[in-house]
Amino acid sequence: MRKLCIAGLVLLVLSLGAVAAGPRLAGWVMVRIYPRDYSQVVAQEAREFGLEEELVYAVIKTESGFDHRATSRAQARGLMQLTEETFRWMAEEYPPENGGGDMFDVNDNIHCGCALLRRLLDHYNGSMEVALAAYNAGIGNVDRWLEEGEHSKDGETLHSIPFPETAAYVKKVLKSREIYARLYGG
């Protein structure tokens, strides 16, 4: 009986401690789930390209989970998962400080990924949803969807995204962006 009382008392104390630490513990867990690795590079490149840091972090989290050596089935590489062709295009248009020769280099990859995000936001008149769809599915696909009444009523926004993976990607990035803004006060 005594062991049962002690066990109950320990459980009660642990429960009260968890309740008291709840918000702090939840915040600690969320910061680990939504990190801000490479913060100096992200801040510099977001500033250079006029992007929200939360958006850049959300894309990195969704694309690579902050694994700078990540490679996709489509051979997209690095933190922001750029294909060789897209990386070269952005490095040529917006040369990184060190020449932009390595897709796995954190600085070059974030620089070129941010350049692409800026290019897409400008191309799609600031529509984050459409720009993110193009980041995932390609400009050609998204331009075609915007021309089709089936996916766009006004030629500027998408009311449906025909690729399920792209639709899920856009939702995931936007949700992560919202969480980053809440967690870090952006």
Side-chain angles (χ1 to χ4, degrees):
M1 181 69 162
R2 182 179 168 138
K3 287 183 181 180
L4 188 58
C5 285
I6 292 173
L9 185 58
V10 168
L11 186 58
L12 177 64
V13 168
L14 289 174
S15 298
L16 290 173
V19 168
R24 281 190 311 214
L25 182 61
W28 182 85
V29 169
M30 290 300 287
V31 165
R32 269 126 196 94
I33 294 172
Y34 291 88
R36 290 193 305 178
D37 296 353
Y38 315 107
S39 60
Q40 288 181 327
V41 180
V42 169
Q44 174 186 327
E45 298 302 337
R47 191 171 39 256
E48 179 177 339
F49 291 103
L51 300 169
E52 299 172 353
E53 288 183 33
E54 296 83 7
L55 175 62
V56 178
Y57 284 120
V59 169
I60 292 171
K61 177 169 178 41
T62 303
E63 288 287 351
S64 68
F66 290 90
D67 176 3
H68 75 281
R69 302 295 299 170
T71 300
S72 73
R73 292 183 316 270
Q75 295 305 303
R77 295 185 177 107
L79 288 170
M80 296 190 77
Q81 290 291 281
L82 302 169
T83 62
E84 180 82 25
E85 178 183 12
T86 300
F87 181 81
R88 295 285 166 229
W89 173 39
M90 290 296 101
E92 190 174 297
E93 299 250 340
Y94 308 94
E97 286 181 21
N98 68 358
D102 184 0
M103 291 175 64
F104 290 114
D105 180 84
V106 169
N107 297 303
D108 292 351
N109 194 278
I110 292 175
H111 177 84
C112 291
C114 286
L116 178 60
L117 279 172
R118 176 79 270 151
R119 171 73 72 125
L120 294 172
L121 285 164
D122 291 346
H123 183 74
Y124 296 112
N125 301 314
S127 172
M128 196 172 296
E129 293 86 357
V130 179
L132 290 170
Y135 194 97
N136 181 264
I139 295 170
N141 285 323
V142 172
D143 284 352
R144 189 172 57 254
W145 300 340
L146 290 171
E147 292 172 2
E148 298 171 355
E150 180 182 350
H151 305 294
S152 177
K153 294 178 178 138
D154 60 9
E156 291 186 21
T157 58
L158 293 169
H159 59 79
S160 70
I161 298 174
F163 293 179
E165 176 187 323
T166 300
Y169 172 84
V170 170
K171 286 180 184 174
K172 189 172 183 178
V173 172
L174 292 175
K175 183 65 176 171
S176 290
R177 175 182 162 260
E178 180 184 309
I179 291 169
Y180 272 104
R182 255 187 293 135
L183 271 178
Y184 298 102

